[in-house]
Amino acid sequence: MAPRGVTKERAAEYKGHMTFAVAMACIVAAIGGSIFGYDIGISGVNTMDPFLEKFFPVVFRRKNSPTRNNYCKYDNQALSAFTSSLYLAGQVSTLAAAPVTRNYGRRASIICGGISFLIGAALNAAAGNLAILIIGRIMLGVGIGFGNQAVPLYLSEMAPAHLRGGLNMMFQLATTLGIFTANMINFGTQKIKPWGWRLSLGLAAAPALLMTIGGILLPETPNSLIERGHVEEGRRVLELIRGTAEVDAEFTDMTEASELAKTIKHPFRSILERRNRPQLVMAVCMPAFQILTGINSILFYAPVLFQSMGFGASASLYSSMLTGAVLLFSTLISIATVDRLGRRKLLISGGIQMIVCQVIVAGILAAKFGADKQLSRSCSIAVVMVICLFMLAFGWSWGPLGWTVPSEIFALETQSAGQSITVAVNLFFTFVIAQAFLSLLCAFKFAIFIFFACWIAVMTAFVHVFLPETKGVPIEEMVLLWSKHRFWKNVMPDIMPLEDGWGPCEDSAPAYESNIHK
């Protein structure tokens, strides 16, 4: 008989607890997230006069022109390309990372990502012209493509099922910490003229070095070891990270999933099959929606955005530093609540708060700000406070869960391909928004915030209707979850794997059925 994957729910039989090995592995691996966050935050160098004067003299002259439309001072495609080129490179490289992650392990991709990022940081710090600067950004993109493909997957597989949500969010926590750190560094290096921007870009090598060393020292995940035929080593690592020898139930799930995974020679082709349709939809929609909240527009261009609203150079960096700190704090809230409240409640509540914040900011700008007038001090403070509330909502909802949900829903045979699609979609939309935002800001003006609010309304409705609660569901048993959902059960094949053979998908209600939205 052909392998059928996991056919019985054994989650209640899983043993183990949080161990030092898991804690260290998750902390070191999550440093990969700080690379992503640092690069988002460090884009703030694009408001430093020495940087603009050297690489973007047209923008430098326009910025200091008192007659220029406030919304359009930074509308320059070359400046946008400085930010967006990284994400286009990341989109391509993450597809190349999928076979590396599957055939050589999660650690191999983490190491490749760290080395690529080290090269990119060195090129950017030493750049003497725009061409070298862009090449450096492309190498950073390759690093992000490999790192973002492997790290969330690594964290999901190492974490115990009942703690997976919180531990997986170490990636997002590290991302927000990287953003905050970059904002702090920019705030300091803007005073070091004319080479402060080189220090900002060069310090990106620090998390990259930690990620590379961590990738060398970390244990491989038991899922990857078993999938690649190292069954005994996989069991040994599983016992190590669970802190007990009583891992028979979890080990059996892994080996059953691995048997099916070995029969899949073309995971990208397999992921298009009907039985994987729900996961594929989530792999595309979750990362796309995460970017369409408008968060990256604020993070990439926070200093530019605040300067466009009339803040001075120091004030704009200070404001972006404040919003980065709020994002970091809110991620801690999500880590503390995700495995108790679940994914759906956080996503929906965060979405509602973000809609309100976007509409309020648009209203203030429409009434008090224009092409030739600045915000008053009180209105400026109000805008920063509302954007902080937006960051707070994003940080406990779509920020971490936009990565966590896709990383935990795929069967073993399609995990690497699914994560590659997730990262590729995320980076594609990041590239589009990064390249287009300054032009959209110039064209839409205050209505840019209404544009993003409409998308947040769509994604909140999407979660309510289509996303089942994945809290506490083992990765190996996710396929059984979709077959019980009121919508996806009509999409899934009529015959699903069961313990004693193949049968109707309505049979064998799982113990975690109370988590499923019906």
Side-chain angles (χ1 to χ4, degrees):
M1 180 180 293
R4 292 175 283 121
V6 177
T7 58
K8 177 183 178 182
E9 293 120 14
R10 304 182 180 90
E13 303 172 32
Y14 282 19
K15 304 292 184 182
H17 54 273
M18 183 66 185
T19 62
F20 178 77
V22 171
M24 290 304 299
C26 290
I27 289 172
V28 175
I31 291 171
S34 69
I35 292 179
F36 191 37
Y38 188 89
D39 190 75
I40 291 173
I42 214 63
S43 296
V45 299
N46 59 14
T47 62
M48 295 182 185
D49 284 348
F51 178 81
L52 289 176
E53 190 174 13
K54 183 173 183 62
F55 296 108
F56 307 100
V58 173
V59 179
F60 175 73
R61 291 192 295 270
R62 189 186 299 167
K63 172 188 174 184
N64 294 289
S65 171
T67 59
R68 188 71 184 186
N69 185 319
N70 285 324
Y71 281 111
C72 301
K73 285 185 176 182
Y74 291 90
D75 182 15
N76 180 272
Q77 290 301 300
L79 181 60
S80 296
F82 163 72
T83 299
S84 65
S85 57
L86 177 147
Y87 303 100
L88 185 61
Q91 179 195 359
V92 175
S93 64
T94 192
L95 298 176
V100 175
T101 302
R102 187 182 189 198
N103 297 326
Y104 299 99
R106 291 31 167 167
R107 292 171 61 244
S109 285
I110 291 173
I111 294 169
C112 287
I115 293 172
S116 298
F117 212 94
L118 281 170
I119 295 171
L123 288 174
N124 274 350
N129 55 60
L130 185 59
I132 297 298
L133 190 71
I134 298 298
I135 292 173
R137 296 288 288 181
I138 290 172
M139 289 305 300
L140 295 178
V142 172
I144 283 179
F146 273 83
N148 284 18
Q149 203 276 343
V151 171
L153 193 59
Y154 182 91
L155 292 172
S156 287
E157 293 179 346
M158 292 292 283
H162 66 287
L163 297 174
R164 188 180 62 243
L167 293 179
N168 200 306
M169 284 183 184
M170 291 297 294
F171 179 79
Q172 179 65 16
L173 178 63
T175 299
T176 57
L177 183 60
I179 293 169
F180 178 68
T181 302
N183 288 333
M184 292 282 288
I185 289 172
N186 279 344
F187 186 71
T189 58
Q190 66 164 328
K191 303 172 184 177
I192 306 174
K193 297 180 179 180
W195 53 271
W197 62 270
R198 293 188 186 275
L199 183 59
S200 289
L201 296 177
L203 284 175
L209 181 61
L210 291 175
M211 176 176 165
T212 305
I213 294 173
I216 295 171
L217 299 178
L218 289 173
E220 185 57 85
T221 71
N223 308 66
S224 177
L225 289 168
I226 294 170
E227 182 184 12
R228 292 184 289 128
H230 307 295
V231 179
E232 292 183 4
E233 177 68 9
R235 169 121 193 178
R236 187 191 67 78
V237 172
L238 182 60
E239 291 178 358
L240 172 67
I241 63 177
R242 297 294 178 258
T244 177
E246 299 179 30
V247 294
D248 291 342
E250 189 170 3
F251 181 72
T252 300
D253 273 355
M254 287 183 181
T255 53
E256 287 184 355
S258 174
E259 289 171 3
L260 178 60
K262 290 176 183 177
T263 68
I264 306 298
K265 303 302 181 184
H266 305 286
F268 281 101
R269 189 181 303 169
S270 175
I271 211 170
L272 298 176
E273 294 177 3
R274 185 179 171 189
R275 64 190 175 90
N276 292 317
R277 195 68 45 79
Q279 299 96 312
L280 178 61
V281 170
M282 294 299 159
V284 172
C285 291
M286 293 297 289
F289 286 152
Q290 184 192 53
I291 303 306
L292 289 171
T293 59
I295 185 64
N296 279 12
S297 303
I298 295 174
L299 293 175
F300 292 152
Y301 298 115
V304 170
L305 193 61
F306 287 127
Q307 282 199 28
S308 296
M309 294 177 188
F311 291 69
S314 295
S316 66
L317 285 172
Y318 182 79
S319 299
S320 61
M321 185 172 63
L322 175 62
T323 55
V326 171
L327 185 60
L328 176 61
F329 172 74
S330 61
T331 305
L332 294 173
I333 296 175
S334 189
I335 290 174
T337 58
V338 66
D339 286 315
R340 289 189 289 120
L341 299 179
R343 283 63 162 158
R344 283 169 47 82
K345 289 181 180 178
L346 293 180
L347 287 167
I348 293 172
S349 63
I352 293 171
Q353 182 169 321
M354 285 191 289
I355 293 170
V356 173
C357 291
Q358 294 274 30
V359 172
I360 291 174
V361 171
I364 294 174
L365 296 183
K368 301 295 183 179
F369 183 71
D372 56 355
K373 60 181 180 180
Q374 305 291 334
L375 285 175
S376 66
R377 178 177 176 82
S378 59
C379 287
S380 297
I381 293 173
V383 166
V384 172
M385 288 181 63
V386 175
I387 288 180
C388 284
L389 290 174
F390 173 87
M391 292 286 198
L392 190 69
F394 178 84
W396 79 53
S397 59
W398 282 92
L401 292 173
W403 291 108
T404 297
V405 172
S407 72
E408 66 184 3
I409 60 176
F410 282 95
L412 183 61
E413 68 270 16
T414 54
Q415 268 187 324
S416 58
Q419 187 64 18
S420 284
I421 292 172
T422 297
V423 176
V425 171
N426 180 284
L427 294 177
F428 172 75
F429 277 88
T430 302
F431 163 75
V432 171
I433 294 297
Q435 187 67 32
F437 178 72
L438 294 178
S439 296
L440 290 174
L441 178 64
C442 182
F444 285 11
K445 300 178 173 58
F446 66 87
I448 188 70
F449 293 96
I450 300 297
F451 171 79
F452 288 123
C454 292
W455 278 111
I456 298 171
V458 170
M459 64 187 73
T460 303
F462 174 87
V463 169
H464 178 70
V465 175
F466 296 110
L467 181 66
E469 182 53 69
T470 58
K471 178 183 69 173
V473 183
I475 292 176
E476 292 77 17
E477 297 179 13
M478 282 289 175
V479 65
L480 304 175
L481 176 69
W482 301 102
S483 64
K484 302 297 185 291
H485 187 268
R486 70 175 182 183
F487 175 81
W488 294 117
K489 70 181 180 181
N490 299 317
V491 176
M492 299 286 283
D494 292 333
I495 302 298
M496 293 294 294
L498 300 175
E499 179 181 6
D500 299 319
W502 292 76
C505 63
E506 286 79 10
D507 292 348
S508 185
Y512 44 78
E513 183 159 347
S514 60
N515 287 338
I516 304 173
H517 172 64
K518 294 210 171 182

